[in-house]
Amino acid sequence: IAHLRSGGGTDFYESLRGGQTTFHGPGQLTAFLILNLKTHGLTSRVYVEFLETSVIATLAHYGIIGTRTENPGVWTSNGKKIASVGVHLRRYITGFGIGLNVDTNLEWFERIVMCGLPEKKATNFEGEGVKGVEVEEVGRVFAEIVAKGLRSVDGIEQVGEREAVGA
């Protein structure tokens, strides 16, 4: 872990999410869905594919081609990773989700080995030729795509932080 802390500026936390080391930080859409898979008629494998498909559709909205490969996450046509997917399930309830690099500082990814693949690199929207897009806007697009793809969801509603935490 010492090499990760090199240069400081970050904290590290162990979690139960699938996968190996990942990064979540500024400029990244981090969407952790909490769902009962039975309610939505999903298996764990179909759920992971659903998350990947939702990210791919979000990228397409901005003219970016995203693909699945034999490696976890969503990759661009130039073989760079633009989104991580990591889930945790307990009694059919999901935790964790996706990290989509919108305008993430890619230097953070120089400190980790994504998916255990040292030869792979990360990218973001700007690296794919899309500039000036805000994380919040991408979040709204992603949420709408997810809502359309889930059984029993009629739409989305944006709430403020105070409403979300019950303050």
Side-chain angles (χ1 to χ4, degrees):
I1 295 228
H3 74 283
L4 296 173
R5 294 186 193 279
S6 177
T10 191
D11 294 317
F12 296 88
Y13 301 93
E14 188 173 342
S15 74
L16 297 174
R17 159 200 161 281
Q20 296 182 12
T21 306
T22 194
F23 167 80
H24 295 300
Q28 186 179 69
L29 171 62
T30 305
F32 288 0
L33 285 66
I34 302 171
L35 303 171
N36 183 323
L37 293 183
K38 284 186 173 184
T39 300
H40 299 285
L42 300 171
T43 65
S44 58
R45 179 181 296 270
V46 170
Y47 175 63
V48 170
E49 290 174 358
F50 170 71
L51 289 174
E52 291 171 338
T53 300
S54 298
V55 168
I56 290 167
T58 301
L59 293 172
H61 179 85
Y62 294 96
I64 300 171
I65 298 172
T67 62
R68 283 190 198 95
T69 70
E70 67 279 2
N71 299 310
V74 176
W75 302 78
T76 60
S77 56
N78 62 10
K80 293 184 177 180
K81 190 170 190 176
I82 196 162
S84 296
V85 176
V87 299
H88 174 74
L89 295 170
R90 184 165 187 200
R91 297 184 179 151
Y92 299 97
I93 306 298
T94 65
F96 303 102
I98 64 108
L100 174 58
N101 299 326
V102 179
D103 66 349
T104 313
N105 179 346
L106 298 177
E107 289 180 13
W108 289 108
F109 292 97
E110 299 300 320
R111 296 185 184 190
I112 66 172
V113 176
M114 297 179 303
C115 305
L117 303 166
E119 70 283 2
K120 297 296 184 180
K121 300 293 180 197
T123 189
N124 57 22
F125 277 43
E126 185 172 335
E128 299 305 309
V130 178
K131 298 179 182 184
V133 178
E134 299 288 329
V135 174
E136 186 174 333
E137 175 192 331
V138 176
R140 280 192 295 274
V141 171
F142 178 77
E144 289 171 6
I145 289 168
V146 166
K148 288 177 185 172
L150 289 173
R151 181 190 314 173
S152 305
V153 175
D154 296 328
I156 62 170
E157 178 181 343
Q158 185 170 349
V159 297
E161 183 177 344
R162 296 187 84 176
E163 295 166 300
V165 296

